[in-house]
Amino acid sequence: AHKADMGPPWVRNKFYPDAPIKSRNRQAMRERTGRSQVPFLIDPNTGKEMFESADIQKYLLATYSA
């Protein structure tokens, strides 16, 4: 992996603002959300899309726990 692909988005944006996004998946993520941040949840059952691990966990528990 290239250094510009590592770290949280704010680090990449600060130190490598013009670094091209070469990964097919990162390009698709950027086109879909305007960011290349992960984790990102796409729930095909509800259409819900969201960032942030804690929010994703809460959503999954609320939506799918028995």
Side-chain angles (χ1 to χ4, degrees):
H2 186 272
K3 287 182 181 179
D5 290 333
M6 297 180 195
W10 72 268
V11 171
R12 289 191 303 273
N13 292 339
K14 180 177 180 178
F15 294 103
Y16 305 100
D18 299 323
I21 298 173
K22 297 178 182 178
S23 161
R24 178 181 61 184
N25 290 333
R26 282 187 183 246
Q27 288 173 343
M29 174 71 77
R30 179 64 64 114
E31 289 169 9
R32 184 177 195 131
T33 68
R35 303 191 224 172
S36 54
Q37 176 183 340
V38 292
F40 180 72
L41 173 74
I42 302 170
D43 185 344
N45 297 316
T46 64
K48 184 76 169 175
E49 298 185 0
M50 61 188 346
F51 290 101
E52 302 300 335
S53 300
D55 293 339
I56 291 170
Q57 288 176 329
K58 288 177 190 173
Y59 167 77
L60 291 172
L61 286 171
T63 305
Y64 295 105
S65 65

